[in-house]
Amino acid sequence: MQAEVTTVGHPLVQHKLTIMRDKRTALPDFRRLLREISLLLAYEVTRHLELKQVEVETPVDTTTAPMLARPEPCLITILRAGNGLLDGMLDLIPSASVGHVGLYRDPQTLEAVEYYYKVPKDMGQRLTIVVDPMLATGHTAVAALDKLKQDGAREISFVCLVAAPEGIAELRRAHPDVPIVTAAVDERLNDKGYIVPGLGDAGDRIFGTK
Ligand code: URA
């Protein structure tokens, strides 16, 4: 069965994303908006976490109330642009452990090449949330998920800000079990592998490198 693709249509997410798309949006605003949206995406991607009932003593009475049944999710950022989604997600899930996967796109082939890899050992016991703001060709995401599954990740969700239809199709072909949460699905990729209309190079806009 194919996992879901969820586009978060919340008005605040859509409003903030439109400001981020604008090429005149300055670095501090871009960063702040990304942090705010990623908190809201974290809310969406954790919506189905399992709960268990525990006993709790309030100042007034003893009751049973829900808590997470399993250890908190872990976050895996695909370097470097994925780091832009981390702070907002950690605001919502402060005890999440964080893994880093360093992959870059070969500019000629657009294929993913690995240069760094360090992830939590107990991914298999947690929801593993992989973050990268732009799902473009999908090659990087597929390579990251291949590796994470080899290393024991069992329940994985992928979170991005903007997805291209091509990237969604590629990710679903290679990893049909992985749900995708995104703020937008755009029109297409251009011949340089950029999402159209997109928001440009997310890494450059987050880190001010252009
Ligand atoms: N990576 C980006 O940063 N932007 C795109 O449009 C595609 C890939």
Side-chain angles (χ1 to χ4, degrees), residues 5-7 14 17-18 20-22 133-136 160-169 180 182-190 193-200 205:
V5 178
T6 304
T7 304
Q14 295 303 314
L17 176 58
T18 299
M20 292 183 73
R21 289 185 190 274
D22 190 330
M134 309 301 276
L135 178 58
C160 60
L161 189 62
V162 181
E166 296 90 332
I168 291 178
I180 301 170
T182 182
V185 180
D186 276 9
E187 282 166 31
R188 62 184 169 87
L189 292 180
N190 68 15
Y194 278 91
I195 299 176
V196 181
L199 48 73
R205 296 198 67 188

Side-chain angles (χ1 to χ4, degrees), residues 118-137:
K118 183 95 179 169
V119 298
K121 289 206 167 50
D122 59 353
M123 285 187 300
Q125 294 164 40
R126 300 168 186 268
L127 171 64
T128 301
I129 303 172
V130 180
V131 301
D132 193 357
M134 309 301 276
L135 178 58
T137 61

Side-chain angles (χ1 to χ4, degrees), residues 1-5 168-180:
M1 205 183 72
Q2 285 273 355
E4 271 184 65
V5 178
I168 291 178
E170 175 63 5
L171 192 52
R172 300 191 93 198
R173 181 196 61 72
H175 294 286
D177 56 309
V178 173
I180 301 170

